Amino acid sequence: MQQRGVHKGSVTRAFACICLSLGTAFLVQTMLLVAVPLAAIELGATPLMLGLIVSAPYVLPLLLALPFGSLVARLGSPRTLQLGSVAMVIGAGLLVVVPGFKGLIAGQLVIGLAQLLMIISAQTAITYLGQGAALEKYFGWYTTYLSIGQMVGPLLAGWIIDYQGGPGAAFYGAFIASFMALVSFFMANQCVSGGDQPSVGFLISVGQQWQLLKTSQGVKLSLIISLAAMLALGAHGSYFPVYLESLALSGTTIGLLVSLRALASMAVRPFTSTIVSLLHGRYATMSLTLLFMALGLMLVGVTGNVYWLCLFSILVGLGVGLSQPLSMVVIAESVPERQRAHALAVRLMANRAMQFAAPLLLGIITQLGGFTLAYFACGVLLLFHWLLFQRLRKPHAI
């Protein structure tokens, strides 16, 4: 979907369809962030078992992200968006029709693959819409729509859990919403069918994708900041509802606190380019986001006060909100145009590795020392990310 040769109105429509479709998909996924852990607790899951269940969506993407990058490069974003949307409906349906732990795990596995394919496709398409500050704005608005879905999803799930019959009813709600995502994806495919990224050979290969990580400093910096954001999201998203439930808060309050992080991310993302300008560069901004995420997580486990928990959720949301679009821009502009799908796949593979590992790590630490120790340890790990980022960014002026 290259900008040259494409009418401006077509570009705008294509971008709007992609944002609508991904925002709806993330609404489904974040509904499950609240419903799946609570359903697992109802089934008697231990903290370690809970970690395994919430990590399930990231197992197969960890193995298939690089081949999926090649698939998107070969088939183009419209077709792979369509495949991903169908898979999401199937995954949500499995949560509804298959009972017990088997249904939770099977549904999570399929949804994880669907989301991986959709994200690589959408991000690759957007990289062809502009560059520089324009690309920052596109990714800022794209991630804003994702945040809208992430904000509404937990609120909707919490309301359904409280008033419509528990986590099982929330699964039905997610299944219905997945059909809305399917319609949006078909709209997106019609919008982008006139022009997409150039098709390249499928066997442009995993070896060449790994070479990007070795040779590109921009890719390395993007991965550090993206991994840190995934650690923060994993810690805040997977165990935060369980921690809040241990404080005897209602499902609606839990949904509100989880959504507050997404609201902060949504509010800050349209101003990404302005904030980058005020802070004198992308890398200075990304460094600050790491400190926000570290502070927001390190202090979560020391309080049960709802107002303090709101503040910490906002800090994490601001950090994630700025770091994610900037990491996409940096990685897109650090590689040749024909390798963008592959570079984004490398980033998503690293993200899924962290999303898989973070809940397991939290589960182990929580089982051994409780929530306070687990969240403090996550904050310390984020500070290590900040130190490594500072060391690698020295040659960069922006």
Side-chain angles (χ1 to χ4, degrees):
M1 185 163 46
Q2 292 167 296
Q3 193 175 25
R4 54 183 179 273
V6 180
H7 190 271
K8 184 177 180 180
S10 299
V11 171
T12 302
R13 287 193 298 273
F15 179 68
C17 288
I18 290 171
C19 289
L20 176 62
S21 59
L22 267 293
T24 308
F26 269 73
L27 180 145
V28 173
Q29 186 257 343
T30 51
M31 286 182 70
L32 300 179
L33 280 181
V34 175
V36 167
L38 297 181
I41 292 295
E42 284 189 356
L43 292 171
T46 65
L48 183 56
M49 187 181 297
L50 179 61
L52 290 170
I53 290 170
V54 298
S55 295
Y58 315 117
V59 176
L60 294 178
L62 176 59
L63 302 174
L64 296 176
L66 298 184
F68 274 23
S70 294
L71 184 66
V72 172
R74 178 174 176 80
L75 298 181
S77 296
R79 292 181 183 176
T80 50
L81 280 170
Q82 193 173 63
L83 289 172
S85 65
V86 172
M88 170 163 279
V89 173
I90 294 171
L94 287 172
L95 290 169
V96 171
V97 301
V98 181
F101 289 121
K102 290 182 180 179
L104 293 180
I105 294 173
Q108 293 273 81
L109 286 172
V110 175
I111 286 173
L113 284 178
Q115 191 181 37
L116 172 71
L117 191 56
M118 293 184 285
I119 292 172
I120 295 175
S121 302
Q123 290 178 4
T124 301
I126 290 171
T127 63
Y128 289 89
L129 295 178
Q131 57 187 354
L135 193 56
E136 289 175 1
K137 290 180 181 179
Y138 276 123
F139 272 117
W141 280 108
Y142 162 75
T143 51
T144 297
Y145 277 84
L146 301 192
S147 291
I148 293 173
Q150 289 173 321
M151 179 186 67
V152 174
L155 288 173
L156 181 58
W159 178 79
I160 292 174
I161 289 168
D162 278 349
Y163 300 107
Q164 302 298 323
F171 292 157
Y172 279 96
F175 181 56
I176 294 170
S178 70
F179 280 98
M180 295 172 56
L182 181 64
V183 172
S184 299
F185 278 117
F186 275 102
M187 289 171 56
N189 288 337
Q190 291 175 358
C191 288
V192 302
S193 59
D196 203 357
Q197 71 273 9
S199 178
V200 298
F202 182 78
L203 294 178
I204 198 166
S205 99
V206 171
Q208 292 183 22
Q209 290 171 314
W210 277 114
Q211 193 64 25
L212 294 173
L213 178 58
K214 294 179 182 179
T215 59
S216 173
Q217 195 78 347
V219 172
K220 293 177 184 177
L221 288 167
S222 176
L223 288 181
I224 291 170
I225 199 75
S226 190
L227 283 172
M230 289 303 103
L231 174 59
L233 284 174
H236 199 273
S238 59
Y239 274 83
F240 196 50
V242 180
Y243 172 58
L244 296 176
E245 189 185 46
S246 73
L247 300 176
L249 298 179
S250 68
T252 302
T253 303
I254 292 172
L256 174 63
L257 285 167
V258 174
S259 294
L260 195 57
R261 183 202 73 228
L263 176 61
S265 295
M266 180 187 68
V268 76
R269 280 170 171 168
F271 307 102
T272 299
S273 293
T274 302
I275 293 171
V276 167
S277 178
L278 290 173
L279 295 177
H280 306 292
R282 293 173 187 162
Y283 294 109
T285 306
M286 293 160 81
S287 179
L288 183 62
T289 66
L290 284 169
L291 295 178
F292 279 0
M293 290 185 286
L295 182 62
L297 278 180
M298 194 175 288
L299 299 176
V300 161
V302 302
T303 181
N305 183 279
V306 172
Y307 297 106
W308 282 110
L309 290 171
C310 287
L311 175 61
F312 300 149
S313 291
I314 290 171
L315 283 176
V316 174
L318 291 175
V320 173
L322 288 171
S323 64
Q324 289 296 78
L326 290 178
S327 70
M328 296 175 202
V329 172
V330 167
I331 204 167
E333 294 195 341
S334 298
V335 300
E337 193 173 271
R338 63 185 178 84
Q339 293 181 307
R340 287 177 180 172
H342 304 91
L344 290 166
V346 170
R347 173 182 175 272
L348 281 170
M349 187 197 69
N351 284 356
R352 293 305 179 261
M354 179 60 78
Q355 287 175 305
F356 173 74
L360 291 178
L361 176 64
L362 271 171
I364 293 170
I365 298 175
T366 301
Q367 194 155 323
L368 294 175
F371 286 107
T372 299
L373 179 61
Y375 279 113
F376 184 82
C378 282
V380 171
L381 283 174
L382 286 169
L383 289 178
F384 278 120
H385 280 79
W386 178 78
L387 290 172
L388 180 59
F389 186 86
Q390 291 296 99
R391 180 179 178 182
L392 288 178
R393 68 168 278 225
K394 288 180 181 178
H396 296 265
I398 63 171

